[in-house]
Amino acid sequence: MKLFRLFFPEKLKLHGWIAIAAVILMNTIVYYGSRLLTSSSYHYDFTTSLDSRIMFIPAFILIYGLLGYAQWIFGYYWSACEDKKTVLFIFGAEIIAKIPSMIIFLMIPTTMTRPDIIGTDLFSLLVRSLYVMDTPDNLFPSFHVLESYMLLRTLPLLKKAPKWYRMLTPIVSPLVIISILFVKQHLIVDILGGIAVCEFGLLTMNIIYAAVANSPRKDIIISKLKKAASLYPAQN
Protein backbone atom coordinates (compact mmCIF):
# COMPACT_ATOMS: atom_id res chain seq x y z
CA MET A 1 0.00 0.00 0.00
CA LYS A 2 2.85 2.37 0.82
CA LEU A 3 4.45 1.66 -2.56
CA PHE A 4 1.11 2.33 -4.27
CA ARG A 5 0.79 5.67 -2.50
CA LEU A 6 4.34 6.53 -3.45
CA PHE A 7 3.45 6.53 -7.15
CA PHE A 8 -0.25 7.45 -6.83
CA PRO A 9 -0.35 9.86 -3.88
CA GLU A 10 -3.35 11.88 -5.05
CA LYS A 11 -6.91 10.59 -4.65
CA LEU A 12 -8.89 11.05 -7.82
CA LYS A 13 -12.05 13.10 -7.60
CA LEU A 14 -15.25 12.11 -9.35
CA HIS A 15 -14.50 14.14 -12.48
CA GLY A 16 -11.15 12.36 -12.80
CA TRP A 17 -12.71 8.90 -12.60
CA ILE A 18 -15.38 9.87 -15.11
CA ALA A 19 -12.74 11.16 -17.53
CA ILE A 20 -10.68 7.97 -17.33
CA ALA A 21 -13.78 5.76 -17.73
CA ALA A 22 -14.93 7.79 -20.74
CA VAL A 23 -11.57 7.44 -22.48
CA ILE A 24 -11.37 3.70 -21.83
CA LEU A 25 -14.91 3.22 -23.15
CA MET A 26 -14.22 5.33 -26.24
CA ASN A 27 -10.97 3.49 -26.92
CA THR A 28 -12.70 0.11 -26.66
CA ILE A 29 -15.53 1.10 -28.98
CA VAL A 30 -13.27 2.63 -31.60
CA TYR A 31 -10.46 0.07 -31.64
CA TYR A 32 -12.33 -3.18 -31.13
CA GLY A 33 -15.71 -2.14 -32.50
CA SER A 34 -14.23 -1.12 -35.84
CA ARG A 35 -12.46 -4.48 -36.10
CA LEU A 36 -15.78 -6.27 -35.99
CA LEU A 37 -17.17 -4.08 -38.77
CA THR A 38 -14.15 -4.37 -41.09
CA SER A 39 -13.17 -8.00 -40.56
CA SER A 40 -14.26 -8.92 -44.09
CA SER A 41 -13.18 -5.66 -45.75
CA TYR A 42 -10.14 -5.17 -47.97
CA HIS A 43 -7.18 -3.95 -45.93
CA TYR A 44 -4.61 -1.59 -47.43
CA ASP A 45 -0.87 -2.00 -46.93
CA PHE A 46 1.00 1.33 -46.85
CA THR A 47 4.46 -0.18 -46.40
CA THR A 48 7.13 1.97 -48.07
CA SER A 49 10.68 1.20 -49.07
CA LEU A 50 11.82 3.19 -46.03
CA ASP A 51 9.72 0.99 -43.76
CA SER A 52 11.39 -2.06 -45.28
CA ARG A 53 14.84 -0.67 -44.46
CA ILE A 54 14.07 -0.20 -40.77
CA MET A 55 15.71 -2.93 -38.68
CA PHE A 56 13.66 -5.35 -36.63
CA ILE A 57 14.91 -5.03 -33.04
CA PRO A 58 13.03 -7.40 -30.70
CA ALA A 59 14.37 -5.69 -27.55
CA PHE A 60 12.16 -2.69 -28.32
CA ILE A 61 9.20 -4.81 -27.21
CA LEU A 62 10.01 -3.69 -23.67
CA ILE A 63 9.50 -0.08 -24.69
CA TYR A 64 6.49 -0.82 -26.88
CA GLY A 65 4.76 -2.82 -24.20
CA LEU A 66 6.06 -2.33 -20.68
CA LEU A 67 7.27 1.26 -20.90
CA GLY A 68 4.42 2.39 -23.14
CA TYR A 69 1.64 1.12 -20.90
CA ALA A 70 3.41 2.36 -17.79
CA GLN A 71 3.57 5.84 -19.30
CA TRP A 72 -0.15 5.80 -20.09
CA ILE A 73 -1.11 4.63 -16.60
CA PHE A 74 0.93 7.32 -14.88
CA GLY A 75 0.22 9.95 -17.51
CA TYR A 76 -3.54 9.70 -17.48
CA TYR A 77 -3.57 9.30 -13.72
CA TRP A 78 -1.73 12.59 -13.23
CA SER A 79 -3.86 14.23 -15.93
CA ALA A 80 -7.01 13.10 -14.11
CA CYS A 81 -5.71 14.61 -10.87
CA GLU A 82 -5.97 18.11 -12.27
CA ASP A 83 -8.84 20.57 -11.88
CA LYS A 84 -12.01 20.16 -13.93
CA LYS A 85 -11.10 22.62 -16.67
CA THR A 86 -7.75 20.91 -17.36
CA VAL A 87 -9.19 17.40 -17.14
CA LEU A 88 -11.97 18.36 -19.54
CA PHE A 89 -9.47 19.82 -21.97
CA ILE A 90 -7.04 16.86 -21.98
CA PHE A 91 -9.55 14.04 -21.95
CA GLY A 92 -11.89 15.91 -24.28
CA ALA A 93 -9.06 16.24 -26.81
CA GLU A 94 -8.31 12.53 -26.40
CA ILE A 95 -11.92 11.53 -27.07
CA ILE A 96 -12.29 13.91 -30.00
CA ALA A 97 -9.09 12.49 -31.55
CA LYS A 98 -10.72 9.05 -31.54
CA ILE A 99 -13.56 10.24 -33.79
CA PRO A 100 -11.47 10.69 -36.99
CA SER A 101 -9.59 7.55 -35.96
CA MET A 102 -12.84 5.59 -36.04
CA ILE A 103 -13.75 7.02 -39.44
CA ILE A 104 -10.36 6.08 -40.86
CA PHE A 105 -10.49 2.58 -39.36
CA LEU A 106 -13.84 2.03 -41.06
CA MET A 107 -13.10 3.66 -44.41
CA ILE A 108 -9.43 2.76 -44.85
CA PRO A 109 -8.71 -0.43 -42.90
CA THR A 110 -4.99 -1.16 -42.98
CA THR A 111 -2.63 -4.07 -42.52
CA MET A 112 1.03 -4.93 -42.96
CA THR A 113 3.26 -7.94 -43.40
CA ARG A 114 5.19 -8.69 -40.24
CA PRO A 115 8.46 -10.63 -40.14
CA ASP A 116 8.73 -14.27 -39.19
CA ILE A 117 10.19 -14.53 -35.70
CA ILE A 118 12.95 -17.12 -35.72
CA GLY A 119 14.80 -16.14 -32.54
CA THR A 120 14.34 -18.04 -29.29
CA ASP A 121 15.51 -15.31 -26.91
CA LEU A 122 13.10 -13.68 -24.46
CA PHE A 123 12.56 -10.57 -26.58
CA SER A 124 11.71 -12.62 -29.67
CA LEU A 125 9.28 -14.73 -27.67
CA LEU A 126 7.58 -11.59 -26.38
CA VAL A 127 7.24 -10.17 -29.89
CA ARG A 128 5.84 -13.48 -31.12
CA SER A 129 3.26 -13.37 -28.32
CA LEU A 130 2.36 -9.80 -29.29
CA TYR A 131 1.80 -10.86 -32.89
CA VAL A 132 -0.55 -13.61 -31.75
CA MET A 133 -2.57 -11.37 -29.43
CA ASP A 134 -2.67 -8.26 -31.64
CA THR A 135 -3.52 -8.83 -35.29
CA PRO A 136 -2.01 -6.42 -37.87
CA ASP A 137 -5.03 -4.22 -38.46
CA ASN A 138 -6.28 -0.83 -37.24
CA LEU A 139 -2.73 0.39 -37.76
CA PHE A 140 -3.42 3.85 -39.18
CA PRO A 141 -3.50 6.00 -37.14
CA SER A 142 -1.44 4.43 -34.37
CA PHE A 143 -3.04 4.58 -30.93
CA HIS A 144 0.39 3.99 -29.39
CA VAL A 145 1.52 7.23 -30.98
CA LEU A 146 -1.71 9.07 -30.20
CA GLU A 147 -1.56 8.29 -26.49
CA SER A 148 2.15 8.99 -25.96
CA TYR A 149 2.12 12.12 -28.10
CA MET A 150 -0.99 13.43 -26.29
CA LEU A 151 0.76 13.03 -22.93
CA LEU A 152 3.78 14.87 -24.28
CA ARG A 153 1.73 17.74 -25.74
CA THR A 154 -0.38 18.22 -22.63
CA LEU A 155 2.51 17.92 -20.17
CA PRO A 156 2.77 21.74 -19.73
CA LEU A 157 -0.84 21.79 -18.47
CA LEU A 158 -0.12 19.58 -15.47
CA LYS A 159 0.46 21.27 -12.13
CA LYS A 160 0.36 18.28 -9.78
CA ALA A 161 2.60 15.85 -11.68
CA PRO A 162 5.89 15.11 -9.88
CA LYS A 163 9.27 16.15 -11.17
CA TRP A 164 10.27 12.62 -12.20
CA TYR A 165 7.23 12.36 -14.48
CA ARG A 166 7.92 15.76 -16.04
CA MET A 167 11.53 14.77 -16.71
CA LEU A 168 10.81 11.31 -18.12
CA THR A 169 7.87 12.09 -20.40
CA PRO A 170 9.91 13.99 -23.06
CA ILE A 171 12.23 10.97 -23.19
CA VAL A 172 9.71 8.16 -22.96
CA SER A 173 7.20 9.51 -25.50
CA PRO A 174 9.63 9.57 -28.47
CA LEU A 175 10.95 6.12 -27.49
CA VAL A 176 7.46 4.64 -27.45
CA ILE A 177 6.67 6.27 -30.79
CA ILE A 178 9.71 4.87 -32.58
CA SER A 179 9.36 1.49 -30.89
CA ILE A 180 6.33 0.72 -33.03
CA LEU A 181 8.64 0.65 -36.05
CA PHE A 182 11.40 -1.49 -34.55
CA VAL A 183 9.00 -4.22 -33.40
CA LYS A 184 7.38 -4.09 -36.86
CA GLN A 185 3.94 -3.46 -35.43
CA HIS A 186 3.31 -0.24 -37.37
CA LEU A 187 4.50 1.82 -40.32
CA ILE A 188 5.84 5.34 -40.69
CA VAL A 189 2.49 6.61 -41.97
CA ASP A 190 0.87 5.31 -38.77
CA ILE A 191 3.07 7.65 -36.73
CA LEU A 192 2.05 10.62 -38.88
CA GLY A 193 -1.59 9.63 -38.53
CA GLY A 194 -1.36 9.34 -34.75
CA ILE A 195 0.19 12.79 -34.45
CA ALA A 196 -2.37 14.28 -36.84
CA VAL A 197 -5.46 13.03 -34.99
CA CYS A 198 -3.92 14.14 -31.68
CA GLU A 199 -3.38 17.65 -33.01
CA PHE A 200 -6.93 17.61 -34.36
CA GLY A 201 -8.26 16.82 -30.90
CA LEU A 202 -6.19 19.55 -29.26
CA LEU A 203 -7.11 22.12 -31.90
CA THR A 204 -10.80 21.31 -31.59
CA MET A 205 -10.75 21.71 -27.82
CA ASN A 206 -8.89 25.01 -28.16
CA ILE A 207 -11.54 26.26 -30.57
CA ILE A 208 -14.35 25.14 -28.25
CA TYR A 209 -12.78 26.78 -25.21
CA ALA A 210 -12.04 30.00 -27.09
CA ALA A 211 -15.59 30.14 -28.45
CA VAL A 212 -17.09 29.59 -25.00
CA ALA A 213 -14.83 32.20 -23.42
CA ASN A 214 -16.02 34.79 -25.97
CA SER A 215 -19.69 33.79 -25.81
CA PRO A 216 -22.22 36.23 -24.25
CA ARG A 217 -23.78 33.13 -22.65
CA LYS A 218 -20.49 32.16 -21.08
CA ASP A 219 -21.88 31.84 -17.55
CA ILE A 220 -24.59 29.44 -18.65
CA ILE A 221 -22.17 27.37 -20.70
CA ILE A 222 -19.69 27.22 -17.84
CA SER A 223 -22.42 25.95 -15.54
CA LYS A 224 -23.22 23.18 -17.98
CA LEU A 225 -19.56 22.19 -18.12
CA LYS A 226 -19.88 20.76 -14.60
CA LYS A 227 -19.57 24.19 -12.97
CA ALA A 228 -15.93 24.65 -13.84
CA ALA A 229 -14.54 27.74 -12.14
CA SER A 230 -13.07 29.07 -15.37
CA LEU A 231 -12.20 27.97 -18.84
CA TYR A 232 -8.82 26.79 -19.96
CA PRO A 233 -7.44 29.37 -22.40
CA ALA A 234 -6.68 28.39 -25.97
CA GLN A 235 -3.05 27.37 -26.43
CA ASN A 236 -0.78 29.80 -28.19
Side-chain angles (χ1 to χ4, degrees), residues 15-24 26-27 30 76 79-80 82-101 146-147 150-151 154 157-158 197-209 225-226 232 235:
H15 66 269
W17 285 113
I18 292 175
I20 290 176
V23 164
I24 292 175
M26 185 67 171
N27 189 78
V30 172
Y76 285 108
S79 297
E82 295 294 331
D83 57 275
K84 290 181 180 179
K85 61 180 180 179
T86 305
V87 169
L88 179 60
F89 183 90
I90 295 174
F91 287 85
E94 170 79 16
I95 291 173
I96 290 173
K98 296 292 171 61
I99 297 175
S101 300
L146 168 58
E147 313 296 359
M150 180 69 76
L151 293 176
T154 57
L157 307 184
L158 305 187
V197 294
C198 178
E199 290 292 345
F200 173 80
L202 293 170
L203 176 61
T204 302
M205 286 303 296
N206 269 305
I207 292 174
I208 292 173
Y209 271 45
L225 291 175
K226 299 184 181 299
Y232 189 83
Q235 294 177 337

Side-chain angles (χ1 to χ4, degrees), residues 105-164:
F105 287 163
L106 294 175
M107 297 186 65
I108 316 175
T110 53
T111 188
M112 65 179 291
T113 301
R114 300 185 297 199
D116 294 326
I117 310 300
I118 58 177
T120 58
D121 58 282
L122 176 61
F123 300 139
S124 296
L125 293 176
L126 290 174
V127 175
R128 187 180 294 115
S129 298
L130 169 67
Y131 286 1
V132 172
M133 293 185 295
D134 194 4
T135 56
D137 54 11
N138 280 358
L139 304 179
F140 173 77
S142 166
F143 274 13
H144 255 70
V145 173
L146 168 58
E147 313 296 359
S148 290
Y149 184 73
M150 180 69 76
L151 293 176
L152 179 63
R153 288 282 280 112
T154 57
L155 182 62
L157 307 184
L158 305 187
K159 300 175 182 177
K160 296 183 178 181
K163 184 177 180 180
W164 64 263

Side-chain angles (χ1 to χ4, degrees), residues 23 65 72 112 129 139 158 167 171 177 187-188 191 207 210 219 221 229:
V23 164
W72 304 339
M112 65 179 291
S129 298
L139 304 179
L158 305 187
M167 293 177 61
I171 300 173
I177 290 173
L187 304 170
I188 294 173
I191 292 180
I207 292 174
D219 293 337
I221 297 174

Side-chain angles (χ1 to χ4, degrees), residues 172-223:
V172 173
S173 287
L175 285 175
V176 172
I177 290 173
I178 65 171
S179 73
I180 71 173
L181 301 177
F182 291 122
V183 297
K184 295 297 181 179
Q185 185 69 356
H186 282 276
L187 304 170
I188 294 173
V189 68
D190 303 333
I191 292 180
L192 300 179
I195 292 174
V197 294
C198 178
E199 290 292 345
F200 173 80
L202 293 170
L203 176 61
T204 302
M205 286 303 296
N206 269 305
I207 292 174
I208 292 173
Y209 271 45
V212 171
N214 295 324
S215 171
R217 296 169 60 85
K218 179 172 64 175
D219 293 337
I220 297 177
I221 297 174
I222 292 176
S223 177

